[in-house]
Amino acid sequence: MASRFEQFALSLMDEYLSWEPAYATQLGWHKYDHLLKDLSPEAHASHADRCGQLIDKLEATSVRSLPADDALDRDLARYLLKLKKYELGTLRLFEREAGACHELGYSLFLLFCREKPSLDARMESIIARMEAAPKFLERSRKGVTRPMRLWNEAATEVCSELPSFIKTIESSAGQWKLSKGQSKRLHDAVREALPAVLEHNEWVAKQVVPASSDEIAITPEEYTEYFRLRGYGVTASEALEIGETYMPICKAAIGDIAKSLVPSGDVGMALDQMKDDHPATFDAVIDEYRDAVSKAREFVMENDVCTVPPDEKLLVIETPQFMRPIYSSAGQFEPGRFDDDRTGLFVVTPDESNPMLLREHSRIAIRNTSVHEAYPGHHLQGICANQNPSYIRAVVMSPDSAEGWALYTEEMMLARGYNDNALGRLAMLHDLLFRIVRLVVEVRLAMRTMTLEEGANMLERECRIEPKSARIEARGCAMAPTYFSSYFIGKLAMLQLREDAERAMGPRFSLRFFHDALLGAGCMPMSFMRRAFEIKLRDDYGIELGQPKETLYAYAMRKARSATF
């Protein structure tokens, strides 16, 4: 029988997912598959108030009466709700962006591309969401009261691509052998949804964008507090210092590898050598990713990196058109936590209009990206996290844990022998430098010490990427405050925890145990991951991990003095 706390956790999770129907679909919680998110100001205000009520209820619960895992979940739920309350009640980012088309597309994409639940159930939900689209779009406009130009220019790109996706859904209906009733409802829903999307896009383009502000979405003070609430273990200013410290170290390591690849030691020529070896077409790029994903999985299993659960698989597909302004290169969607399914989606974004972008999909870069996105990166992390029984952890996805783990695996796999050659190290370091530069750009943009153009120029110059890609990435840094800083900070936190685990366990330490413990704990902020590892270590070995001997900032700066990549 479920404990009182477990019953409360289930109720909390269910209520939280009722606010986020698309996220509920992503998790396989199909109770809300027929609904679209309420983007009205009234709904946001109501949810912010409800977060406060739930926080009070959690704080009235004594952790002393709870088992260690439940006590962790109680504190994790409080963390989640405080963050949500700040986002809804203080940041109010929904006032800055007309993001309804992305929400609609995302809601339909998850039902369209997955195989769970049944086809009939998914079609009923697709039709219901499509039928609700016109009123959903109209209602969402009430909330956009302080538009930001950057975000809404991106929103017009998403809106302009969404009609083609809706038509794709309708054209696929013939393959699905729908009933006459379903076919008619779908046809009617599409006929209503398409003009509503076009009308919404015209509203964004002609009314929202011209009235938008050129300022970054949040103030430096709001960013600093948001960063603190994220719980990354460092302040925003410390994160910037870490990024600016490691950037020249990483560049120097890249310079050393360049000397082994080209006689002149020119980094640009070394990167050209790496990028020149790429598939000839974007269709071939997709095939190359599929092959690389398979090879990475095989390596993980054969080299005792971590446990790969049975019956899982990863499908590599083209990124849907409406998602391409957000996923400029690649992205990953794990299977639903509550679905009887272990099939993830790995989307790769082609750009037939710019053949030069094929160079960004060099064969060695594809292999490194497949480690990050697939094995043992995001896909495997999602598969393993889905096996944790906690209802609270099901709805928490902290970027420092998610992106930190994926970035950590790139260097870890190379150290184990995967891609361990000069080009493999160059690809890993080039991608690492990209994440470090994005950290610097994100914080500087948020603190108003850098313009968007300067951020794009820094990314283009330091990471040697195409101007179009640099612009998209700089825009992403501005649009997702605290997200892009999480990669490198999260990786450092993971390395610090591993160092502490090795010290505590001595000869009993193994990478497989360490990795399995992290993967099975969920995807929480690293401070909570440390608590989960403490519990696992105590239960399995009777060993106390103890407190970290230094702050994450101190650890990062100490490691910088002897950093070798």
Side-chain angles (χ1 to χ4, degrees), residues 166-349:
I166 291 174
K167 291 175 184 176
T168 298
I169 292 175
E170 184 180 30
S171 65
S172 299
Q175 306 169 20
W176 295 337
K177 299 180 181 179
L178 305 182
S179 69
K180 288 184 178 180
Q182 279 186 325
S183 294
K184 184 178 186 309
R185 283 184 60 209
L186 177 61
H187 177 79
D188 291 345
V190 169
R191 297 286 75 74
E192 295 290 328
L194 282 174
V197 170
L198 294 174
E199 179 186 355
H200 186 80
N201 194 23
E202 185 175 10
W203 170 75
V204 176
K206 294 186 177 180
Q207 296 188 43
V208 178
V209 172
S212 293
S213 166
D214 290 322
E215 292 184 354
I216 299 300
I218 62 178
T219 67
E221 294 76 21
E222 288 171 335
Y223 178 79
T224 299
E225 176 62 8
Y226 196 28
F227 206 98
R228 185 190 71 80
L229 288 170
R230 279 289 190 191
Y232 290 166
V234 294
T235 66
S237 60
E238 287 173 339
L240 178 59
E241 186 176 349
I242 289 169
E244 291 180 333
T245 298
Y246 276 86
M247 196 191 314
I249 296 171
C250 191
K251 289 173 64 178
I254 290 173
D256 289 341
I257 293 174
K259 293 173 186 176
S260 71
L261 288 171
V262 295
S264 66
D266 181 81
V267 171
M269 292 179 65
L271 288 172
D272 282 340
Q273 180 179 321
M274 179 183 80
K275 293 182 178 185
D276 285 343
D277 181 23
H278 61 77
T281 66
F282 278 109
D283 284 343
V285 165
I286 298 288
D287 290 338
E288 193 81 24
Y289 270 106
R290 288 172 179 148
D291 182 65
V293 162
S294 177
K295 284 183 168 62
R297 183 181 189 274
E298 182 180 329
F299 185 92
V300 167
M301 296 180 72
E302 291 181 354
N303 289 271
D304 218 26
V305 173
C306 52
T307 302
V308 177
D311 304 323
E312 59 74 36
K313 60 182 177 179
L314 183 62
L315 302 179
V316 181
I317 64 173
E318 282 192 15
T319 307
Q321 284 282 354
F322 82 94
M323 298 176 73
R324 293 181 186 182
I326 295 97
Y327 295 94
S328 61
S329 179
Q332 184 272 337
F333 299 88
E334 69 273 15
R337 158 74 169 77
F338 297 100
D339 279 331
D340 182 21
D341 184 32
R342 291 179 176 173
T343 302
L345 294 175
F346 180 13
V347 298
V348 179
T349 303

